[in-house]
Amino acid sequence: MPNVPHPLKRHGLRKRSAALDKRGLLLIHTAKQLDRPALRDPLVATAIRGHDLETGAVIAVARLTDCHPDCHDSADGPCSPWAQREVHHLVLSEVQALPMALPCIGALGPWRPPRNVLDQVLLQLPDLRP
């Protein structure tokens, strides 16, 4: 499960320094602290307006469908307004926000959540299937 620097949690594109070869469902976990400089970015400010910004919690489930390198220099240009240079981009689909954030200690990079967190996610999203 990746740890997503807040407040970029709600978008279908994430960033990583290296490729990720696994595909399928993953939990979206917010960082322990807000990325305060990111709050000044107009794209971020517009996206978070009116939202509570949970920190250090699992806040959603999503399906990882692709991971690709930066494409800013391609003929088509960046893959998203959120795309950052010189990192790999995780492409997410079927994002389902949890009704209630689940406080949970995370880690940088992919990590395996404790079983009790998975059980609590399934209680909140009983129709979730891998």
Side-chain angles (χ1 to χ4, degrees):
M1 169 167 64
N3 194 29
V4 179
H6 220 309
L8 304 180
K9 65 182 183 179
R10 297 187 190 272
H11 299 279
L13 190 71
R14 303 288 183 250
K15 63 183 178 101
R16 280 187 51 79
S17 58
L20 188 63
D21 60 355
K22 302 223 184 249
R23 301 292 181 269
L25 287 179
L26 50 81
L27 302 181
I28 304 297
H29 182 275
T30 60
K32 189 175 174 180
Q33 296 181 348
L34 288 175
D35 180 0
R36 296 249 178 238
L39 297 174
R40 291 189 289 274
D41 181 300
L43 194 60
V44 173
T46 300
I48 65 171
R49 188 172 295 124
H51 292 283
D52 291 329
L53 299 178
E54 298 285 343
T55 57
V58 175
I59 51 108
V61 177
R63 186 169 303 279
L64 175 61
T65 57
D66 192 20
C67 179
H68 61 83
D70 169 28
C71 53
H72 276 83
D73 297 327
S74 73
D76 295 332
C79 58
S80 160
W82 294 93
Q84 292 182 326
R85 290 186 176 275
E86 301 176 11
V87 294
H88 283 77
H89 303 154
L90 302 183
V91 180
L92 306 177
S93 66
E94 302 172 41
V95 179
Q96 298 178 64
L98 294 179
M100 295 185 314
L102 297 173
C104 177
I105 295 172
L108 293 177
W111 55 279
R112 186 171 301 281
R115 181 71 216 178
N116 67 320
V117 171
L118 294 174
D119 292 342
Q120 291 176 51
V121 167
L122 291 174
L123 283 174
Q124 291 191 43
L125 300 174
D127 296 330
L128 184 67
R129 297 289 172 256

